[in-house]
Amino acid sequence: MKKRVSITTYGWIISICSTILLLAGFVSAIKQQNATWVVCLIGAAIVLLFLSVLFYMPLSISVDSESLNINRSLRIKSIPLSEIKSVELFNPTLNRAIKICGSSGWFGWYGWFKDREHGKYFAYYGDNSNCFLVTLHDGKKYAVGCNDAPMMVDEIKKLIS
């Protein structure tokens, strides 16, 4: 089973506005005379930010008989089903998640977050109303989101039981 990750309208607005501001700052720095260090600094920041998007932004979530896969542009994060202790529907907004390090809307939500009820977890989602929490036997947690999250949770539960 494979489900697409959809980013909310808020996420797209944040992504587009931030990208425009970054590029406007870059163009403005280019127009300045004797500001090559500023151009290099802004250019490097833009490259690093877009590499983080390519490396972490989830595009789809899939599950097969062996693993839960978080499909990203440059890499697939695979979690073996044998390592999954539990999976449950989850809404980060209701649990008042705090970002430790990562993105809060810029091309999705990804990175380290924390809330009082679940502790620290790594997030990969585009819409906080379509998420589920995966807890591994070693205590690691992942907040994952995709279209039709309840169906994905049911499928994972069926496969791990």
Side-chain angles (χ1 to χ4, degrees):
M1 169 185 293
K2 185 175 186 175
K3 296 288 181 178
R4 191 171 163 267
V5 174
S6 295
I7 298 175
T8 62
T9 303
Y10 168 81
W12 281 116
I13 291 170
I14 291 293
S15 302
I16 292 167
C17 290
S18 298
T19 301
I20 290 170
L21 286 173
L22 283 169
L23 295 175
F26 187 67
V27 168
S28 175
I30 288 173
K31 290 181 180 180
Q32 299 288 325
Q33 291 181 347
N34 299 325
T36 56
W37 68 273
V38 176
V39 172
C40 290
L41 186 64
I42 293 173
I46 291 171
V47 168
L48 287 173
L49 286 170
F50 277 101
L51 282 175
S52 74
V53 168
L54 289 174
F55 195 75
Y56 289 108
M57 182 180 123
L59 300 173
S60 65
I61 307 299
S62 60
V63 65
D64 55 36
S65 61
E66 296 177 9
S67 61
L68 169 65
N69 302 300
I70 301 159
N71 305 303
R72 304 173 292 174
S73 296
L74 297 179
R75 192 171 156 204
I76 296 173
K77 167 77 176 170
S78 290
I79 302 170
L81 293 177
S82 60
E83 293 181 15
I84 297 176
K85 178 181 177 182
S86 65
V87 61
E88 61 185 291
L89 289 174
F90 177 67
N91 189 326
T93 304
L94 295 178
N95 292 314
R96 302 191 192 285
I98 298 169
K99 176 180 63 177
I100 298 170
C101 179
S103 168
S104 294
W106 198 57
F107 295 100
W109 283 256
Y110 46 86
W112 289 105
F113 290 78
K114 182 178 183 178
D115 70 44
R116 289 181 187 243
E117 184 179 345
H118 299 96
K120 189 170 79 169
Y121 56 86
F122 202 93
Y124 295 102
Y125 59 89
D127 180 354
N128 56 15
S129 65
N130 270 322
C131 292
F132 54 97
L133 186 70
V134 177
T135 304
L136 306 184
H137 291 290
D138 65 6
K140 290 181 183 175
K141 296 179 182 179
Y142 296 93
V144 181
C146 63
N147 297 346
D148 203 0
M151 182 183 281
M152 185 64 76
V153 168
D154 290 343
E155 182 69 18
I156 295 168
K157 283 182 178 180
K158 185 172 66 173
L159 291 167
I160 64 173
S161 61

